[in-house]
């Protein structure tokens, strides 16, 4: 049993899957890899959408996909969630908690594309302490070393895209971070095609036994608990970046 913690597989919900056919191809490929649970994370941008309109659109796409998977007995567990872009005033957004992974207080967050700033840390702290939300930072392979180091210091769960493990030049860095307890979750970040699941399959082989730990972390978060309260998580502040 494998868990894909980050995927854009809901048809027409964002700029991920463009159709039901694309979504079904994504899920068939995911099943071939051995994935049994996909966390569906369409993008949410607070300046372009409202929580209500996003939830309604997601529900429509989800129901369409669930009906299709049941008709072919695909046997895939699809969990409703969102990939929420962090803005300075995101912590004050009404109904922010509705964007958490369904049944949990855990939220997949995408950081802005520019360098870490004071407000980044303040907004994350407000989300954690003021809104009682456990943030998970999406695709940490996209951020610079300074940003990743700050996230590690804040003890925030980090998700790696499977594709980051494919280039040999980057692999040793991320494998070291995984072994040292700095990276906790794996996601396909699948969008328009199913090709990302080829990378996911290769990443699973590269990770070996480390994939078991990442899968356990995903299961813990989907159960609504914090991974840092669990004994199998080791945390080192001297992680090599």
């Amino acid at each position: 049993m494998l868990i894909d913690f980050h995927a854009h597989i809901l048809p027409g919900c964002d700029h991920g899957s463009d159709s039901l056919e694309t979504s079904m191809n994504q899920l068939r490929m995911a099943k071939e890899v051995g994935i049994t649970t996909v966390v569906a994370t369409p993008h949410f941008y607070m300046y372009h959408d409202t929580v209500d309109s996003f939830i309604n659109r997601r529900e429509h796409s989800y129901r369409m996909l669930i009906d299709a998977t049941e008709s072919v007995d695909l046997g895939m567990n699809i969990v409703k969630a969102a990939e929420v872009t962090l803005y300075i005033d995101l912590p004050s957004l009404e109904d922010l908690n509705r964007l958490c992974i369904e049944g949990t207080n855990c939220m997949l967050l995408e950081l802005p594309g520019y360098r870490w700033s004071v407000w980044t840390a303040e907004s994350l702290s407000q989300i954690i302490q003021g809104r009682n939300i456990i943030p998970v930072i999406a695709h940490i392979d996209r951020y610079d070393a300074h940003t990743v180091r700050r996230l590690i210091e804040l003890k925030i769960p980090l998700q790696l895209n499977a594709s980051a493990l494919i280039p040999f030049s980057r692999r040793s860095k991320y494998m070291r971070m995984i072994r040292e307890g700095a990276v906790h979750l794996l996601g396909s970040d699948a969008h328009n095609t199913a090709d990302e699941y080829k990378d996911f399959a290769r990443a699973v082989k590269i990770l070996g036994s480390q994939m078991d730990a990442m899968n356990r972390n995903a299961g813990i978060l989907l159960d609504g608990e914090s991974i840092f309260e669990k004994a199998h998580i080791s945390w080192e502040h001297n992680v090599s970046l």
Side-chain angles (χ1 to χ4, degrees):
M1 182 186 82
L2 296 173
I3 299 172
D4 178 3
F5 209 82
H6 179 179
H8 299 266
I9 51 96
L10 296 184
C13 197
D14 64 357
H15 63 263
S17 170
D18 57 5
S19 67
L20 182 58
E21 181 182 5
T22 296
S23 296
M24 292 299 289
N25 286 337
Q26 289 172 321
L27 291 182
R28 290 189 185 100
M29 180 70 86
K31 186 173 183 179
E32 289 180 14
V33 173
I35 294 168
T36 56
T37 296
V38 177
V39 183
T41 54
H43 287 282
F44 174 83
Y45 306 103
M46 67 175 291
Y47 297 131
H48 300 275
D49 215 344
T50 66
V51 174
D52 277 340
S53 65
F54 172 83
I55 295 295
N56 290 338
R57 184 173 70 253
R58 186 184 68 181
E59 185 64 25
H60 174 74
S61 297
Y62 173 80
R63 289 295 354 147
M64 187 191 311
L65 186 56
I66 289 298
D67 290 345
T69 59
E70 289 178 348
S71 68
V72 295
D73 193 26
L74 199 58
M76 187 72 68
N77 180 33
I78 301 171
V79 181
K80 287 180 281 187
E83 181 181 3
V84 182
T85 299
L86 181 68
Y87 296 102
I88 189 169
D89 49 353
L90 182 70
S92 62
L93 179 67
E94 188 175 0
D95 291 335
L96 178 63
N97 294 68
R98 295 176 65 197
L99 300 174
C100 289
I101 298 171
E102 191 171 51
T104 79
N105 66 333
C106 176
M107 178 183 293
L108 187 69
L109 279 179
E110 179 180 44
L111 298 186
Y114 38 86
R115 189 171 174 80
W116 183 276
S117 63
V118 172
W119 77 257
T120 312
E122 291 177 347
S123 292
L124 286 170
S125 296
Q126 290 169 18
I127 287 171
I128 296 168
Q129 298 172 11
R131 303 302 295 267
N132 192 33
I133 290 173
I134 301 170
V136 172
I137 304 302
H139 43 60
I140 60 95
D141 41 290
R142 295 187 185 180
Y143 307 125
D144 61 73
H146 174 72
T147 296
V148 175
R149 189 172 290 109
R150 292 301 307 272
L151 293 168
I152 290 171
E153 291 170 354
L154 290 171
K155 291 192 176 182
I156 293 178
L158 307 181
Q159 175 259 310
L160 182 76
N161 277 3
S163 59
L165 289 169
I166 307 308
F168 188 77
S169 59
R170 306 173 71 191
R171 185 181 305 168
S172 60
K173 168 187 174 179
Y174 291 119
M175 286 299 294
R176 183 172 62 248
M177 291 175 68
I178 291 165
R179 287 192 299 268
E180 293 175 347
V183 175
H184 315 95
L185 304 149
L186 190 69
S188 68
D189 201 4
H191 274 71
N192 289 325
T193 70
D195 289 345
E196 291 93 345
Y197 286 114
K198 296 177 182 178
D199 287 342
F200 199 101
R202 293 177 64 188
V204 169
K205 291 181 179 179
I206 291 167
L207 285 164
S209 62
Q210 296 295 330
M211 187 66 215
D212 294 336
M214 299 181 90
N215 220 42
R216 285 197 300 272
N217 293 338
I220 290 167
L221 287 169
L222 292 180
D223 283 340
E225 301 181 62
S226 170
I227 59 176
F228 295 115
E229 296 172 359
K230 299 298 178 178
H232 75 268
I233 292 293
S234 63
W235 189 267
E236 303 292 342
H237 288 287
N238 59 344
V239 172
S240 305
L241 298 178

